[in-house]
Amino acid sequence: QVQLVESGGGSVEPGGSLRLSCTASGLELSSTYMSWVRQPPGMGLEWVSAISGSGVFIDYLSSVRGRFTISKDDAKNILYLQMDSLKSEDTAIYYCAKGQYNDYELLGSQGTRVTVSS
């Protein structure tokens, strides 16, 4: 049974940082693309970033490129999203997902809430 558990969200002021984690079980991160996807309040899901199984291919939504960094620890089977220089528009529930771009699966995880506000 595949399970993804996100953590690390919270409330920060604009310009602050957070690191999100996604612990995977029943799924080897080294064998598949993984993404971070977010859902702002009252809006639909938005793909944020992806990393290939090898870790060689990485891509970002243009609005977060240069501020967010995706990474993973294959030994621990944990996916990360380092978020720096946070803006109010980054406020959302963040989910990790299997896949990339618009071809992803959320796998029923709860997500972690990020609120950026002064």
Side-chain angles (χ1 to χ4, degrees):
Q1 180 181 358
V2 177
Q3 186 175 24
L4 302 174
V5 179
E6 301 92 345
S7 61
S11 295
V12 296
E13 294 185 349
S17 297
L18 285 172
R19 189 175 82 153
L20 307 183
S21 298
C22 170
T23 301
S25 58
L27 173 69
E28 295 295 325
L29 299 188
S30 61
S31 67
T32 184
Y33 270 91
M34 292 295 294
S35 287
W36 286 98
V37 178
R38 67 187 180 186
Q39 185 168 26
M43 299 179 67
L45 291 166
E46 178 180 55
W47 172 83
V48 175
S49 182
I51 185 168
S52 64
S54 66
V56 171
F57 177 82
I58 289 174
D59 202 7
Y60 299 96
L61 180 69
S62 58
S63 62
V64 309
R65 187 174 288 118
R67 301 188 297 118
F68 290 10
T69 304
I70 191 171
S71 64
K72 63 194 180 89
D73 185 329
D74 288 341
K76 296 181 179 179
N77 226 29
I78 300 176
L79 179 73
Y80 300 102
L81 186 68
Q82 176 67 40
M83 305 188 297
D84 298 317
S85 303
L86 282 161
K87 304 177 180 180
S88 58
E89 52 263 44
D90 296 318
T91 295
I93 299 175
Y94 285 72
Y95 302 89
C96 57
K98 178 184 176 185
Q100 59 172 321
Y101 298 118
N102 291 323
D103 185 16
Y104 58 79
E105 298 176 79
L106 288 180
L107 301 177
S109 59
Q110 296 298 308
T112 187
R113 185 179 300 272
V114 171
T115 302
V116 185
S117 174
S118 56

